[in-house]
Amino acid sequence: MGNAFRRLAVGVLVLCAVLAAPLPWLSHAAAAVTATVAWSEPVGEGVVVTKYEKRINGRPVDIFVATVDLTNPYVKIVPLYGKDGRLTQKQTVLGHARASGAVVAVNADLFHLNGIGAPLGPVIDKGTIVSAPGVATWPTFGVTKSGQAVILPLAFTGTVTAPDGSTYPLRGVNKESFDPRDGAHSHINQLNLYTPAWGPTSYGNAKGAFKNVVELVVAGGVVREVRVDQPGAPIPSNGYVLWGQGQAAQFLKTRFRVGDPVQVTYGLKNDPGLETAVGSHILLVDQGRSVNPVDPGVSSHSPHARAAVGIDRSGKKVWLVVVERSADGDSKGMTLPELANFFVELGAWKAINLDGGGSATMVVRRLAETNPTPLNESPYSGQGYRAVPTAIGVLNTAPAGEAKGIFVTGPKEVLAGDTATFSFKGYDVHYHPYRVTPQEVVWKVSGPGPVETSGFSVRFRTGGTYTLTAQVGAASRQLTVRVIGGADVARLVVQPRELVLKPGETRALTVQAVTKDGRTFTLKPHQVTVTAEGAVGAVKGLSFTASATPATGHLRVAFDGAVATVPVTVVPFADVRGHWALQPITALAARGMVAGVAPDRFAPDAPVTRAQLAALLARLEGVETGTDNASPSLPFRDPIPSWAREAVQAMVEKGLLRGYPDGTFRPDQPVTRAELAAILDRYLGLTGRAPLPPFRDAAEIPSWAREAIARVAQAGVMKGMGDRFAPQRPTTRAEAATVLYRLLTMPDGPMAKR
């Protein structure tokens, strides 16, 4: 705000939850308000908080209104001031609310931002004047001992009597220097009193702001110390400090000595029997009409964040109002005339402005919540909520009762097999928070399959849509939960897609469900059933351990009726464990396409011979070998091992293998990589020209093998060794097995195209 009351920019964004439908407790004069009700809820006995959304000349404005019914015996309005009972120790409205247990709290008095920060208006608590009235022209909000709200100007009167009978008027109680707007200064030539409610020390010389100051420290009704132009004195817990300046200082100095008794009387000239009073500023509404309020000190005709309080004609209804001005511009604040008009719409008979701008804060303990939270966003983002000296608090004094309502939150969508855990918040018949225990919750479930319930949790076995009703005593809440099951799954994706394991080896599985709407969910062990088909091993959760002996089979992976299978092969070769070609060697061994050189040895790094390659190609072609037929007659001068004769004959007849010009086959001669490329080129029937990859040793490739190497490399069947092809290096058994495995497994490879 402007001038002496301008506030520093502070703020934190607080989002307000919006209830979806009008609620039955919205029974006040909202129908007369030309604004939209965003939400409304009771927060205590006789207290309803409503958020209004309004447009003023095209300007969006959010308004928070707490309507208090003083006819309710459990409602109590109290002043919230200082911290630990000390006026000069400010705290945020949230701090005030937490300390007092208020269900609603709104900032109250204006104060000097750069001063001590004591309230400019009065504070009356339980009929006791904690702080005297301030600016003479400002009316004050209060509640009488009979429970009637009032807005009226208050006038202070007091007298200090010396032992000789002389007197001096007492100007105020627990006030810092301010302009009373009554023609006289609050402290110059004035006598003021400071009680322990002010703080630990008295006003003193106000850090050099005043000279010619005398203070009497009084305890037990007797002067204990006389201080002249000194800093503040400790205030006795059983007494007070009288402060005088100028003429008042002269009175104290000349009329009192240490040990003298002191007589002080003070009160309100026009006290209507106040129990509570806090919050003082200019009138907005009087006798049901706007007074067109003007105060340049608070920028009355510019839109700002505002706080105000109003009462109805009976004094039994109170409106606490905070107008938001958000940093993001979603709510742009109000002028004081606009705020006055809004109070008229509410039905107010009288209303006054309170401190606004960065001080304007409404804190509410929302229905079923245990802690209060600010509703409005501070107009200055990033600096937190401002500490203020006073606030108006609303208490709910009702006793705890039985549950009246509950709020249940939790997942709206889960997977079959999942357990959904819900959070419960409740409120009792008096709108206190109600702590729900798991033992109290009773579930009623309607859906396509059985469920298991326990306390706050529900386990869904199968997919579908379920309607849940949670009941706690007489309170209940209905929820709908969609359970994704097998009918929603397009496919299950299991990794690895194939298991080729050594005996006793353990491998973890991951299972993902891809739904028909394109979403992917990673499934957990409790959601999936995995069974081993064939004597391939054992399953525990999503972990599989291979059997101790070679075997083939598969795993059946099921999720609520959706099924996937994973082939499993268990083949032992001790010398390929950890070898880079382990997977192709063991996969081919399980298919009977390769054999070891001994029961547990494969010799992966040994050269593959021409006879061994013939056997590999024969198996690839499905040629039966080792039959009872007579050994074939081969046109070679050198002997061929019996185990390879049929394979060699078949491959020679197909033109894949050839003898040497000297009439030999040379079965034990290693096959070079260039020779393997030429054989594969013939086997696959590759044609056309292909670019030769830029191998560094391209010059070493024989001319008869260049085109073959280019074609098999392009087909992805053979690859270089880094940036070299090594055409003259013998092909290892591991390399031969890998090439064969590629031919069998490449989805779009040469074998698939044959």
Side-chain angles (χ1 to χ4, degrees):
M1 293 303 173
N3 297 344
F5 310 124
R6 185 168 301 278
R7 301 290 181 255
L8 293 175
V10 293
V12 167
L13 177 63
V14 178
L15 300 178
C16 303
V18 178
L19 299 181
L23 298 173
W25 47 74
L26 185 58
S27 58
H28 53 81
V33 178
T34 59
T36 301
V37 175
W39 55 263
S40 185
E41 67 184 35
V43 298
E45 281 282 2
V47 186
V48 176
V49 175
T50 305
K51 179 185 178 182
Y52 291 98
E53 295 173 346
K54 190 176 179 69
R55 296 193 76 85
I56 302 174
N57 299 323
R59 189 175 75 247
V61 182
D62 292 341
I63 312 160
F64 299 94
V65 179
T67 304
V68 184
D69 178 9
L70 291 180
T71 65
N72 189 303
Y74 294 124
V75 169
K76 186 175 184 180
I77 293 179
V78 296
L80 308 178
Y81 53 92
K83 188 175 183 181
D84 299 327
R86 294 175 174 180
L87 278 172
T88 52
Q89 295 186 16
K90 304 185 295 295
Q91 61 179 327
T92 63
V93 178
L94 179 60
H96 285 295
R98 286 173 173 167
S100 64
V103 296
V104 175
V106 172
N107 67 287
D109 287 284
L110 283 78
F111 61 97
H112 289 303
L113 183 63
N114 296 321
I116 294 174
L120 295 180
V123 176
I124 297 176
D125 188 10
K126 299 182 180 68
T128 298
I129 298 175
V130 178
S131 179
V135 179
T137 57
W138 291 353
T140 296
F141 166 76
V143 179
T144 66
K145 291 180 172 62
S146 63
Q148 183 176 25
V150 294
I151 291 177
L152 75 170
L154 296 177
F156 180 81
T157 181
T159 301
V160 175
T161 302
D164 62 1
S166 59
T167 62
Y168 201 96
L170 185 64
R171 182 69 165 104
V173 175
N174 292 333
K175 310 301 288 188
E176 69 175 303
S177 176
F178 68 98
D179 179 7
R181 302 188 186 181
D182 61 359
H185 196 274
S186 65
H187 283 67
I188 296 177
N189 293 319
Q190 302 291 346
L191 195 58
N192 282 272
L193 182 144
Y194 294 89
T195 72
W198 168 259
T201 58
S202 62
Y203 200 38
N205 60 9
K207 297 182 179 180
F210 290 98
K211 295 181 179 180
N212 191 19
V213 172
V214 173
E215 287 187 312
L216 299 186
V217 179
V218 180
V222 175
V223 177
R224 304 299 181 182
E225 183 181 3
V226 179
R227 299 166 62 89
V228 178
D229 287 330
Q230 294 186 43
I235 302 175
S237 60
N238 64 338
Y240 49 85
V241 173
L242 280 172
W243 184 99
Q245 192 279 335
Q247 296 174 10
Q250 187 66 17
F251 171 77
L252 295 177
K253 189 174 183 179
T254 59
R255 304 291 181 174
F256 291 94
R257 298 288 183 271
V258 172
D260 283 350
V262 184
Q263 182 178 347
V264 178
T265 59
Y266 59 87
L268 300 176
K269 294 180 180 179
N270 55 339
D271 185 3
L274 289 171
E275 172 75 6
T276 291
V278 65
S280 177
H281 198 226
I282 64 172
L283 271 174
L284 301 175
V285 175
D286 193 20
Q287 298 185 5
R289 296 181 180 181
S290 169
V291 300
N292 191 25
V294 176
D295 188 341
V298 293
S299 303
S300 58
H301 282 61
S302 297
H304 283 283
R306 304 287 181 183
V309 58
I311 63 176
D312 73 349
R313 190 169 189 172
S314 70
K316 291 298 183 179
K317 183 179 288 186
V318 176
W319 291 277
L320 299 172
V321 174
V322 166
V323 179
E324 183 178 69
R325 181 174 179 178
S326 58
D328 58 13
D330 286 346
S331 180
K332 295 184 178 294
M334 277 184 171
T335 67
L336 286 191
E338 291 166 351
L339 181 57
N341 291 337
F342 180 74
F343 268 102
V344 172
E345 292 179 6
L346 287 174
W349 180 248
K350 283 189 174 183
I352 60 171
N353 185 53
L354 299 172
D355 194 12
S359 296
T361 309
M362 178 179 287
V363 169
V364 172
R365 190 186 71 191
R366 299 290 298 272
L367 190 63
E369 296 293 337
T370 55
N371 295 308
T373 54
L375 293 187
N376 63 298
E377 176 188 346
S378 179
Y380 313 111
S381 63
Q383 299 184 31
Y385 287 89
R386 176 180 293 163
V388 296
T390 59
I392 300 171
V394 183
L395 306 183
N396 181 1
T397 65
E402 298 298 321
K404 178 182 177 68
I406 56 173
F407 296 108
V408 184
T409 57
K412 295 182 179 179
E413 186 178 73
V414 298
L415 295 171
D418 263 350
T419 297
T421 299
F422 298 90
S423 297
F424 281 72
K425 292 181 180 180
Y427 57 93
D428 69 11
V429 292
H430 298 300
Y431 304 107
H432 289 300
Y434 182 90
R435 182 178 176 273
V436 179
T437 63
Q439 295 78 13
E440 295 177 274
V441 180
V442 177
W443 292 98
K444 296 180 181 178
V445 182
S446 173
V451 301
E452 301 169 17
T453 63
S454 176
F456 297 153
S457 300
V458 179
R459 183 175 185 268
F460 302 92
R461 297 181 182 177
T462 59
T465 300
Y466 293 77
T467 300
L468 311 179
T469 301
Q471 190 161 350
V472 177
S476 64
R477 181 70 61 171
Q478 192 174 87
L479 305 142
T480 299
V481 177
R482 171 68 179 155
V483 181
I484 297 173
D488 303 297
V489 175
R491 66 185 186 279
L492 293 180
V493 179
V494 184
Q495 294 292 344
R497 290 186 294 179
E498 180 179 5
L499 289 172
V500 180
L501 303 176
K502 299 174 290 183
E505 184 179 358
T506 298
R507 184 72 58 87
L509 303 175
T510 61
V511 183
Q512 292 183 316
V514 180
T515 61
K516 294 174 181 176
D517 59 6
R519 294 182 292 167
T520 300
F521 297 90
T522 298
L523 303 181
K524 298 176 182 177
H526 69 270
Q527 297 163 333
V528 180
T529 301
V530 183
T531 55
E533 305 282 337
V536 291
V539 176
K540 184 177 181 181
L542 288 178
S543 180
F544 172 72
T545 301
S547 62
T549 58
T552 60
H554 65 270
L555 300 181
R556 184 180 186 274
V557 181
F559 166 67
D560 191 36
V563 177
T565 58
V566 178
V568 178
T569 304
V570 183
V571 177
F573 286 120
D575 59 350
V576 298
R577 294 175 184 176
H579 195 277
W580 62 267
L582 170 65
Q583 182 180 8
I585 292 171
T586 53
L588 293 178
R591 298 186 188 195
M593 300 193 71
V594 297
V597 298
D600 64 346
R601 286 184 60 243
F602 184 76
D605 297 321
V608 66
T609 66
R610 285 167 55 81
Q612 291 170 344
L613 182 60
L616 285 174
L617 293 174
R619 293 179 194 128
L620 186 62
E621 282 290 284
V623 175
E624 292 188 17
T625 60
T627 65
D628 294 333
N629 297 333
S631 296
S633 175
L634 297 173
F636 301 114
R637 291 192 302 109
D638 51 347
I640 307 296
S642 59
W643 57 266
R645 292 179 66 84
E646 292 173 284
V648 169
Q649 181 183 36
M651 294 304 98
V652 169
E653 289 175 354
K654 288 180 175 290
L656 298 179
L657 294 176
R658 301 167 185 168
Y660 288 90
D662 62 359
T664 61
F665 183 75
R666 305 177 190 176
D668 296 326
Q669 180 172 298
V671 179
T672 67
R673 286 173 53 82
E675 289 172 333
L676 179 61
I679 293 168
L680 292 173
D681 184 53
R682 292 195 294 273
Y683 175 76
L684 295 171
L686 301 177
T687 60
R689 298 184 66 84
L692 183 69
F695 297 123
R696 288 179 55 192
D697 57 355
E700 300 174 17
I701 298 175
S703 59
W704 54 266
R706 294 182 71 86
E707 291 188 6
I709 291 173
R711 285 191 288 264
V712 295
Q714 185 182 60
V717 176
M718 287 189 72
K719 300 177 181 179
M721 302 177 67
D723 59 355
R724 303 173 64 85
F725 188 76
Q728 303 301 332
R729 192 178 70 76
T731 304
T732 66
R733 287 168 53 82
E735 289 172 331
T738 301
V739 167
L740 181 58
Y741 185 73
R742 286 186 191 136
L743 291 173
L744 288 170
T745 59
M746 291 174 67
D748 299 319
M751 290 296 292
K753 297 176 181 178
R754 292 188 65 192

